Amino acid sequence: MSTPPLIARQPVYDARHHVLAWDIAHARAQHPAATPSADPDSEAAEAAHFELLTGALLVAGLERLIGNGFGFLPVSAHTLLSPTLRLLPPLQVVLTLPAAGLQSVDLPARLAPLQRAGYRVALDGCRSLEPGLLPLLPDLDFLRLDAAALGAAALAPLLQSLRGAGFHGVAIATGIADAGTAQAALDAGVLGLQGPLFRRPQPVAASALDTGREAALTLIAALNRPDAGLPEISNLIRRDATLTYKLLRYVGSAWFGLGEVHSVDHALICLGRLRLRLWATLVAMTGAAGERHDLLELALVRAGMCRDLLLAEGGDAETGTLAGLLSTLDLLFGLPLERVLAGLPLNRELRQALLEHAGPAGRALALALAYERGDWEEVHAAGRDEQVFDAYFAALAQAHETLEQIGTSH
């Protein structure tokens, strides 16, 4: 019996670091009973995987994965013929072919009926103007340049050549690892940016925090003191009308199912000290996120995954949730995580989980991060494929619900 294919997403950003689209990453389902002679790269195996992939996307829900946006779905010349491909909504997927090896089949003939049906097409991993690209360029919607292989200096000349050869669509640079390459891509006329750079802290000027983020960090520290009791937490919340309003909307979300909560005292009674502290921490993080709603959503997804994965191992839900939330503080504040956590009164277990991925909570966090970045070998090694798949999609659904409750969904 096989497990479902693993599916995750990675963001593609515009120049303002807003999410432009999503890359749909996936790994083939594991087949424990497969024979050693089976060729995983055969057309039959590729077709079987694609059937499982489209089925999983339809069952789990593309909207849950990518919201109201669209995603780049990897396809091949062979899977363009799949009958299940047309079950995917054209407005939500961009059929993304590898730029290499395009001469082997008549791609325009295979793409034409799909394009007439409304599907958009992208080529991924473009490194040069190959002859095989020429018939496709005029009808391409997106072209994804491999910035990691090309280097910053080669982006503008290549894109200029591609434009001259008939490409009129949107250019995206992938594999961006540093700010210089990102700026070179934007200067070249690229509209979308993707790569490891955007999952690392972006430094703030003079390593200083703005007033709003500093206030948020101070509040997070106060809320997470081990000796902080209900009266003190209540007073901290009441001092900030925005915090009170957002918290009351949060506790009425799907995370708790409590219905309408009318006051901080009502929230105190319903949630208790630990859960109220947890959610006040999350609300404080919304202030630090500013317009970067994707980072707040990332925090919520990590929190949900860590909670469910830790609970499945007999661990503590609050520790898992907090580990997932706080793991994004480096991205929210533009500082190394060690520096941000230095000002927080966390217990040893949580600090080691966040900084060393040690202990049960640390292992849950490491697994969630591996899934997030599409490190499928590490995910498979944990032996929890189906469990982590379920945790990921459940966390996405809860994150969307929570963001809608506070009016920050996009």
Side-chain angles (χ1 to χ4, degrees), residues 285 298-299 302-303 306 321-331 337 341 354 357 365 369 372:
M285 289 173 66
L298 178 67
R302 287 185 186 179
C306 290
T321 304
L322 199 54
L325 287 178
L326 298 185
S327 71
T328 61
L329 289 182
D330 55 343
L331 301 174
L337 189 58
L341 296 183
L354 288 163
H357 295 171
L365 176 59
L369 294 176
E372 175 188 302

Side-chain angles (χ1 to χ4, degrees), residues 360-396:
R363 290 192 293 272
L365 176 59
L367 183 55
L369 294 176
Y371 195 98
E372 175 188 302
R373 64 178 179 267
D375 188 343
W376 306 125
E377 287 189 10
E378 184 173 339
V379 175
H380 289 324
R384 303 172 67 182
D385 283 14
E386 190 167 359
Q387 195 176 76
V388 72
F389 174 91
D390 291 341
Y392 182 70
F393 277 90
L396 281 172

Side-chain angles (χ1 to χ4, degrees), residues 292-333:
R292 292 295 307 277
H293 300 156
D294 63 298
L295 294 183
L296 185 58
E297 185 176 24
L298 178 67
L300 287 164
V301 172
R302 287 185 186 179
M305 287 191 76
C306 290
R307 179 196 61 211
D308 288 354
L309 292 172
L310 194 56
L311 278 174
E313 298 291 301
D316 175 62
E318 187 201 7
T319 299
T321 304
L322 199 54
L325 287 178
L326 298 185
S327 71
T328 61
L329 289 182
D330 55 343
L331 301 174
L332 286 170
F333 292 101

